[in-house]
Amino acid sequence: MSEGTRLALVVDDEPDMCWVLEQMLRRSGFTPRMALDGCQAIELLRSEHFQIVFIDIGLTDMGGDKLVRQVQEIDPGTRIIMMSGSMVKEEAHIRNVIQDGLICDFIPKPFLNREVMRAIERACSPFF
Amino acid sequence: MDNDKSEWFARILKSIGDAVIVTDTMGCAVFMNPAAESLLDCPLEGIRGKPFEEVFCDIDEEADYPPIEGLDIDPPDHVGYVTGNGRQIILERSISSIENDDGFEGQVILLHDISERKHAEDALRDWAERAVKRSEAKYRTLLEQIPAIAYIAPLDNLDSALYVSPQFEKYLGYSQAECASDPHIWRKTLHPDDCGHVLAEVARCHTTQEPFLCEYRSLARDGEVKWFHDEAVIVRDDDGHPLYYQGVMFDITDQKRAESSLRQSEALYRSLVEKTTDGYFISEFPSGCIIFFNERLCELSGYTHREAMHLEVWDLIALDEHRRVHEQVWSKAGHEGHICRESIFTAVRKDGSTFLAEVTVSSVPFQGRQAVQGIIRDVSERERLWRQLQYVDKMQGLGVLAAEIAHEVLNPLAICSSAVQFLMEEGNSPEFQKECVQKIHSGIGRVSGIIRSLLGFARSYPPATEMARLDLLSIVEETTALISFKAKSQRVKIQSRSCRSPVFVGGIESFLQQVFMNLLLNALNAMPDGGILSLLIEKTNREVLVHVTHNGSGISETEVGNIFDPFRIGLLPGDRASTALPLCYSIVKQHSGTIECKSTEGEGTTFTVRLPIAPGEE
């Protein structure tokens, strides 16, 4: 990986959702990586530093909130943006990670692409 | 000449074997022949001059020879004699007078030793007397041991006994002594309500001298009521003259009680059968001819009693149900002890209208014939409510899935939405545009798939009432697809193994979907933190087995026992589990199948549904 390359990771069990986020990350100058479940994600996180990680709350092998805590342990400097298709059900989990200051943004699905772009920008801001 | 004669006589007398003694006019012995000397063991000198009363002892017995006509011979008598050596002998003595022209001259006494004969006769008499006594004792013992009171009563007074056996005390509490001192004791024990007819019968027998026969109640000393069957006959002598009444009173209290309780239970049974809110019939087997029809069944069917007696059970069953009812119910109903419970079929009224009937039949002997009894209940209303409940339960099930289904719809929608937004941007390469369109197309496809399976699940309300030929495999697969979203959100892995080809069963689609949805949701509930849900579909010759297994928290043995019970303890009102599994049970049963649950606490649970394969598919 060359100097100055900014890495981002998308963790979602939906390959097409990963594709969507990859497009937007590229537009923001990131090199996106993709993980379909929590285990894959942890493996990648242990080998490289990701500036931004998108995590879907409903993963097949573990809860997104659990992965958030693991990411913070492995690489505390990583900015995490959470996404969810059903806020109601996961409300408690999301509230906890927000309250604990573990994520920098939360985006409900479906979303406007520009909201995602803005979230990426915010996550990269040194003032955050 | 006289001397010659005398000598001649004397020679004869000496030579004959019979003992002869001749007396003078005073009755004293003047001659004894040798046979007499030998018999009496005494010479003439020993008894000469002695009156006979001193020689012989009178034994007060006459020999029973008939008098000989024309002979002046007194009938012989028997006398005792003690010989010189002290031996007692019994003699038969015949005395005849000797008379000549001067008148009475003396007596000739003929003696004959009959001791042995007498001894034999006495022994025989003794034996006979003893035998009579023995048999009397036996008879008395027998009489006094039979479970009845024996009595003897005079001909003209049947109600005052001459003899009452000791059982009188056992049954009525009065001793033989009391009976002897009070000849009217029997009359006094008569129950006031029976006294009249019993005494009337007594009076009739006195007049007609016919046997006495009566059943009546008596009051024992302690007030207990006893039932007797009393029979007396007239005993006659050899000439046929009536002597007395001989009777026996049998205690029939237990029998009467049993009869009474039988009558009561019969009355109870009859009233139960007549007043029950269910229809009840008895029919011949195997013909099916009705032989009993209760009021309620008349109301249900519209037939009168009289009309019903000309019916066969088949007249009450819808024509297209005949085959099924015959196979599932009737063919088994004739086996003794077999009960076919709660089969549901369409019943036909007299006017041709129909209702849903639930019938329980069993074999019963009826008046010596093999018969089948049945209880018929109109369950139309219950079935309607049940179907409503089933629908509500199904909608509840969909409600449980709603969040996951929404999530599943939102994901492809989010992808479509983003792809559309990309397309709206300018400067995209044609390849990228094509990629976007493909993503949109696939997203729309997924959303429609989800909506279709939802529709498939929610369609058909009200649910069909007729059984149809259905592919169980696709029902299970579609239902599994629907719960897969929830499974995914709970991180439950679904493993499915099944036969490849369709498996056809007779059933109602909406109901069967519900069975599997409830079983699958039940499995997911047991695995809130993930697990493995396995589905296995097996086909045998006659049935298809669907095993739904989960490795979540198992349930205890006692809970397994009542898991299909809608009223089981430990469930809160409104808890879905209170209806979900009991509904599965009812639906499967309605489809002539079975459902069972095996569970090991802490390890997991398997529910197995067995359904018969549709006719022609075996």
Side-chain angles (χ1 to χ4, degrees), chain B residues 554-567:
Chain B
I555 45 178
S556 71
E557 216 168 287
T558 38
E559 282 175 304
V560 168
N562 59 17
I563 197 159
F564 299 113
D565 175 6
F567 303 108

Side-chain angles (χ1 to χ4, degrees), chain B residues 19-94:
Chain B
V20 179
I21 299 171
V22 180
T23 68
D24 57 16
T25 53
M26 301 301 287
C28 296
V30 293
F31 173 81
M32 278 171 89
N33 74 346
E37 284 176 1
S38 159
L39 179 66
L40 299 181
D41 193 19
C42 163
L44 176 64
E45 299 312 317
I47 60 166
R48 189 190 290 273
K50 280 190 185 170
F52 269 12
E53 289 73 28
E54 288 177 25
V55 177
F56 301 108
C57 53
D58 198 354
I59 57 169
D60 194 24
E61 196 178 85
E62 277 194 10
D64 48 355
Y65 293 115
I68 301 165
E69 268 193 47
L71 261 178
D72 184 17
I73 298 174
D74 289 337
D77 63 353
H78 294 166
V79 288
Y81 176 78
V82 181
T83 63
N85 59 11
R87 194 167 68 92
Q88 285 190 343
I89 56 173
I90 296 167
L91 302 167
E92 187 176 272
R93 184 175 68 174
S94 308

Side-chain angles (χ1 to χ4, degrees), chain B residues 92-112:
Chain B
E92 187 176 272
R93 184 175 68 174
S94 308
I95 302 172
S96 55
S97 302
I98 308 167
E99 285 180 37
N100 55 18
D101 301 340
D102 302 330
F104 180 66
E105 197 176 293
Q107 287 177 315
V108 175
I109 300 163
L110 266 167
L111 293 172
H112 194 66

